[in-house]
Amino acid sequence: MLLNMTIANFKSVKSPQTISFEAVKDSRLPASKVLEINDRLNVIKTSAIIGPNGAGKSSFVRALEVLKRIVMAEDGPENPLQGALTGTTFAYGIDKATPATISIEVLLDKGEPGNDEKPTTIAIYTLKANKERIYEESLYYILGTSKKLMFERKLQDDGQYAYRFGKYYRGEKKRQAAKLPENRTFLAGSARKGGQTSLELYTWFEKKLHILPMGVSTKAEAYACEMLKAHPGWGEQILNYLWALDITDINRIEVRTNDKGEDHLRFTHIYVNDKKAEGYASMFAGESLSLRRLVVIGFAFFEAFITEKTLLIDDFGQLLHPDVLCHLVEIFENCDKQSQMLVVDCNPSLLREGLLRRDAIWFAQKDQESSTVYYSLSDFKGARGRITTQQRYIQGAFGSLPIISEFWFTHDGTPVEPEKKEEVSDENA
């Protein structure tokens, strides 16, 4: 599970900004919305980043996406940093060569209470790089309450890397370090060579971190087909899930393979008021964008319901009704696995009372330098009386609202102002 993430000099974020998914200790907040790890650590099931368009909400998503892309890059002559970090350094900076920094804290093992030989294990992984080379890379473990160095790699003035290894590190060291290119991570290199320490976090990137496609592309359809072929029984589950969202005219979802060996998802629609009608079939690409998105989210939920996943969904409410959006959160909250969901959206419906904990809600807005800052709703005192959190947000109590100004279209430099209607007096009305 993702516990904390810090980014700096990345896209719209300049100075280091941290978002935490650890629950604050407050008995007034619902305990049912957190996963208890031990007596010191609880993790929030569902968290949201909210803010206006262009505020930098998605910079957080892109940073985690870039980090996964670099770590999981296949061996080869291509530079994975070039594709992942091009154009991602701070957008308003003068020096575009300044490296970006991305650091994450991940729960690898919740451990066993009272067993010193199996403590809670948290990995702290940091990567500092630009599109040309890696400047710093490190992995620390927090074992129980002790922070231990696993490995550290820093670029020196002479262009060579200085390495440090902790006594708890398990895996190949000097030989792996000697032949590692400047654009490849030591984490991936050592994990692929069977290094036990690196492999634990590498496996989290590979199998547990799931950044959803937007739900309208061929990639989204391929994912849905893959899930349905691997779990044929999920076809019925998807139908029940859609019914729960008031989509009631679909009675079959199946994978069809064409002559080229390509898999496509086919939906069979029925006429609810005419049981004798045969209905009609439609392919994934022919369905509405909202339905496609809901199906992809549904399959991602099903995965999280059977195995640990960290789901990351950008533009969560895109094309979705606010009530459907909130119900999706409620559905995920019933997950009894060690899974979490992190969503990004500009829809204030996520502030509906009782939907999310206060410490699960983060805001994004631009400062005077047009750099993104993140801050938590839990930093604000709760209001007394009948006014809701959503109403307070709309009234501007928490910031993170768009600043809207008037606009007039100009043609050839000549302003074209809207026509003013002639006022009608009450006597002539």
Side-chain angles (χ1 to χ4, degrees), residues 24 29 57 107 129 145 156 163 181 197 204 257 302 335 344 419:
V24 300
L29 301 178
K57 305 182 301 297
L107 176 68
T145 57
Q156 304 299 297
Y163 281 83
T197 302
W204 179 82
T257 305
F302 297 170
C335 177
V344 176
E419 295 183 4

Side-chain angles (χ1 to χ4, degrees), residues 67-131:
L67 189 60
K68 179 175 182 177
R69 183 175 175 181
I70 293 172
V71 169
M72 300 306 301
E74 297 290 339
D75 293 332
E78 295 82 8
N79 178 5
L81 304 178
Q82 185 73 39
L85 283 171
T86 298
T88 56
T89 51
F90 181 56
Y92 310 102
I94 298 175
D95 182 10
K96 298 299 183 182
T98 301
T101 301
I102 306 172
S103 182
I104 59 173
E105 293 184 27
V106 176
L107 176 68
L108 296 179
D109 191 336
K110 63 185 302 183
E112 296 179 3
N115 188 344
D116 293 338
E117 294 185 0
K118 291 188 176 181
T120 301
T121 304
I122 298 172
I124 305 176
Y125 180 66
T126 302
L127 185 72
K128 185 175 181 180
N130 61 14
K131 64 181 181 180

Side-chain angles (χ1 to χ4, degrees), residues 72-230:
M72 300 306 301
E74 297 290 339
D75 293 332
E78 295 82 8
N79 178 5
L81 304 178
Q82 185 73 39
L85 283 171
T86 298
T88 56
T89 51
F90 181 56
Y92 310 102
I94 298 175
D95 182 10
K96 298 299 183 182
T98 301
T101 301
I102 306 172
S103 182
I104 59 173
E105 293 184 27
V106 176
L107 176 68
L108 296 179
D109 191 336
K110 63 185 302 183
E112 296 179 3
N115 188 344
D116 293 338
E117 294 185 0
K118 291 188 176 181
T120 301
T121 304
I122 298 172
I124 305 176
Y125 180 66
T126 302
L127 185 72
K128 185 175 181 180
N130 61 14
K131 64 181 181 180
E132 300 298 333
R133 62 182 59 84
I134 292 172
Y135 285 77
E136 294 182 21
E137 182 188 10
S138 65
L139 177 63
Y140 285 81
Y141 273 10
I142 298 179
L143 301 172
T145 57
S146 300
K147 184 177 180 181
K148 305 293 184 182
L149 170 68
M150 297 296 117
F151 71 78
E152 184 180 71
R153 167 193 185 195
K154 288 187 177 182
L155 185 66
Q156 304 299 297
D157 292 338
D158 60 2
Q160 301 298 313
Y161 287 97
Y163 281 83
R164 290 197 304 141
F165 293 93
K167 67 177 182 178
Y168 287 91
Y169 176 80
R170 297 293 180 269
E172 193 176 85
K173 298 178 182 178
K174 294 183 178 179
R175 187 167 58 178
Q176 177 66 32
K179 61 182 181 180
L180 188 68
E182 63 180 358
N183 54 31
R184 299 283 173 168
T185 64
F186 184 84
L187 179 73
S190 58
R192 290 169 183 167
K193 292 293 184 180
Q196 180 183 347
T197 302
S198 299
L199 187 59
E200 292 178 316
L201 182 59
Y202 183 85
T203 300
W204 179 82
F205 277 110
E206 181 182 30
K207 296 183 177 180
K208 296 183 179 181
L209 176 60
H210 186 182
I211 304 173
L212 267 67
M214 296 303 292
V216 297
S217 64
T218 55
K219 183 179 180 180
E221 182 179 18
Y223 168 70
C225 289
E226 178 188 350
M227 290 298 100
L228 192 53
K229 290 177 72 175

